[in-house]
Amino acid sequence: MSQAPESDIQVADHAITRRMGDREQVEQTADRIRDELLLTLEELDRRRHRATDVRHHLNQNRDLLVTVGAAALVVAGVGVGFAIYRSRHHDERVRRQRRQALSRAWDHPERVATSVEDKPLGAELGRKLVMIFATTLATAVARNSMQSLVPSRAPAKVPADTDKK
């Protein structure tokens, strides 16, 4: 295996720049880097224009926008139709609710002013006590978590040297 000496490899690597001085090499490298930077800036500018071009985005997403607009119109139409239906049938619905209320009052006169959801006093107190306990526990856990995550603002105490003589 024959290997070329290092000086031959260096000469071959520098064959292009052999006749140039150091200053010319630096200027040529700076010009090349400057050209690459300008190309990169032009590409970024082109992408910025494309990203902020509303017409381009409208043309690109035309089908989606038409679909969303049609769906919005259908939803608005259904909402208006339902509101009209409710307003036209309001009196009938109120009469039906009053008949049902009178029927319930006739069937159960002891529950006229109370709702079925009313619970005994003991059950309500127990529920409220459990909620108070759960809230207090959650607050304590959150406070401890915050104290462990956020360092205190008090300056750190430096232990006094006990070796002073």
Side-chain angles (χ1 to χ4, degrees):
M1 286 190 208
S2 65
Q3 291 183 345
E6 281 188 31
S7 60
D8 291 343
I9 294 174
Q10 289 176 351
V11 170
D13 287 344
H14 298 290
I16 297 173
T17 60
R18 185 180 318 148
R19 294 182 194 134
M20 290 187 197
D22 289 340
R23 180 181 173 97
E24 291 173 344
Q25 288 178 8
V26 169
E27 286 177 356
Q28 187 179 17
T29 304
D31 287 341
R32 183 182 49 81
I33 292 172
R34 192 177 302 115
D35 290 341
E36 289 176 5
L37 178 62
L38 287 174
L39 288 173
T40 303
L41 289 175
E42 288 173 2
E43 177 64 19
L44 287 173
D45 191 45
R46 186 188 67 78
R47 289 183 185 185
R48 179 185 57 87
H49 281 293
R50 173 68 57 91
T52 58
D53 187 13
V54 175
R55 285 186 182 157
H56 171 72
H57 290 293
L58 288 176
N59 289 334
Q60 191 175 11
N61 298 313
R62 182 180 308 265
D63 294 338
L64 176 66
L65 291 172
V66 168
T67 304
V68 168
L73 285 175
V74 167
V75 168
V78 167
V80 168
F82 187 68
I84 291 171
Y85 173 80
R86 283 183 56 104
S87 69
R88 288 187 178 170
H89 293 85
H90 176 73
D91 294 336
E92 179 183 330
R93 192 174 63 248
V94 168
R95 275 188 249 117
R96 186 175 352 110
Q97 288 174 346
R98 286 179 181 157
R99 280 193 307 267
Q100 289 172 349
L102 285 174
S103 173
R104 283 193 312 267
W106 187 263
D107 292 341
H108 303 285
E110 71 279 357
R111 290 192 343 202
V112 171
T114 63
S115 69
V116 177
E117 291 83 25
D118 284 346
K119 295 181 178 130
L121 179 64
E124 284 296 313
L125 284 176
R127 186 186 67 80
K128 288 182 180 183
L129 286 173
V130 168
M131 290 301 296
I132 290 170
F133 175 74
T135 304
T136 306
L137 182 65
T139 304
V141 168
R143 184 181 304 120
N144 288 339
S145 297
M146 288 303 297
Q147 287 176 352
S148 66
L149 291 175
V150 179
S152 63
R153 294 181 181 228
K157 295 182 180 180
V158 178
D161 288 339
T162 56
D163 295 344
K164 289 184 180 179
K165 292 186 180 182

